[in-house]
Amino acid sequence: MPTPHNNANIGDIAKTVLMPGDPLRAQFIAENYLENAVCYNKVRGILGFTGTYKGIPVSVQGSGMGMPSIGIYSYELFNEYGVENIIRVGTAGSIADNVELRDVIIGLSASTNSSYAAQYALPGTYAPTASWNLISAAVDAANKKGCRFHAGNILSSDTFYDDSASLSKWRKMGVLAIEMEAAALYMNAARAGKNALCILTVSDCPLKGLSTTAEERQTTFRDMMEIALETAFTCAV
């Protein structure tokens, strides 16, 4: 049955969901890559669609910005709608010197400055990590495409405008890029016994003063989208 944040009924959403932050990127993916896509959600403007990719059911839904937002939507998808795999397809700001504008990043793990894990009352520091089956399929898809990509640790931050100017400190620990959702997604997946992965396109290089436009972020990061769709297909067959 529908939740407070999702109009879908049970069965409307596929077992694998691609989840961009921007609902308009979800619509772009549905319109350009899925066959017979049907919109199942418009609550709060968080568009969700289900169609098929190479004959396999796939859904795509926006998450909004930040860990509280993706925390709500991914929790409901995993626990209320029976979703098995969520692949975030988002944007990031590069931190590492060798990560350039428009590069693809596969987030093996997600460091964070968030207190999201406090809810689990763990006796230590939890390390949010992606699911190996999705990582392996995404790396294979990226290699087949021949696109420039990196795989490693990313930073999920609660702040976009960071008064502490901490990026250089994270860079010296080998963090590739900063974004705002993956850690919560990975923790929700772990708690539900499900699978998650974050695939990113570098939209900004904050330490170099480079950036892309809002329209480019919405419609042109096709390598990331196609890697995610191939990952979904591989994990379904």
Side-chain angles (χ1 to χ4, degrees):
M1 60 181 292
T3 73
H5 314 98
N6 201 318
N7 277 335
N9 292 305
I10 301 299
D12 289 347
I13 303 176
K15 294 297 184 182
T16 297
V17 178
L18 273 58
M19 184 162 269
D22 184 355
L24 294 179
R25 191 182 307 131
Q27 183 175 3
F28 178 86
I29 293 170
E31 291 176 347
N32 288 273
Y33 289 103
L34 300 185
E35 294 184 357
N36 303 313
V38 175
C39 182
Y40 63 75
N41 187 58
K42 293 183 179 179
V43 176
R44 294 176 179 258
I46 296 296
L47 302 175
F49 303 86
T50 297
T52 59
Y53 177 76
K54 296 184 176 179
I56 299 298
V58 174
S59 295
V60 56
Q61 178 179 321
S63 72
M65 292 186 288
M67 281 177 270
S69 188
I70 198 171
I72 291 170
Y73 290 108
S74 63
Y75 181 94
E76 292 181 351
L77 291 175
F78 283 138
N79 295 286
E80 303 294 335
Y81 288 102
V83 169
E84 294 294 328
N85 311 298
I86 297 179
I87 304 171
R88 167 164 153 70
V89 282
T91 57
S94 70
I95 296 176
D97 289 335
N98 65 325
V99 179
E100 303 293 342
L101 209 63
R102 295 183 173 277
D103 284 1
V104 172
I105 296 173
I106 297 171
L108 306 185
S109 55
S111 299
T112 185
N113 58 17
S114 172
S115 60
Y116 194 87
Q119 64 182 301
Y120 305 116
L122 297 166
T125 301
Y126 184 74
T129 308
S131 303
W132 170 250
N133 61 327
L134 297 179
I135 293 170
S136 178
V139 169
D140 285 347
N143 279 323
K144 288 176 182 176
K145 280 191 66 65
C147 67
R148 179 179 165 89
F149 77 97
H150 313 264
N153 191 13
I154 58 178
L155 170 65
S156 297
S157 177
D158 269 345
T159 52
F160 186 88
Y161 299 106
D162 181 12
D163 203 47
S164 68
S166 63
L167 293 186
S168 61
K169 296 177 182 178
W170 290 103
R171 177 175 61 182
K172 69 183 181 183
M173 292 303 294
V175 172
L176 298 177
I178 181 171
E179 54 88 66
M180 301 186 72
E181 289 84 21
L185 173 62
Y186 290 1
M187 284 187 258
N188 276 1
R191 182 67 181 87
K194 303 296 181 72
N195 303 300
L197 177 63
C198 181
I199 305 175
L200 303 165
T201 300
V202 175
S203 59
D204 304 271
C205 300
L207 299 177
K208 300 175 184 177
L210 302 174
S211 64
T212 56
T213 68
E215 183 177 357
E216 287 176 308
R217 291 192 290 271
Q218 181 179 313
T219 63
T220 69
F221 294 165
R222 288 179 175 260
D223 282 345
M224 167 183 69
M225 300 173 192
E226 292 166 7
I227 290 168
L229 287 163
E230 287 298 316
T231 301
F233 177 78
T234 298
C235 291
V237 295

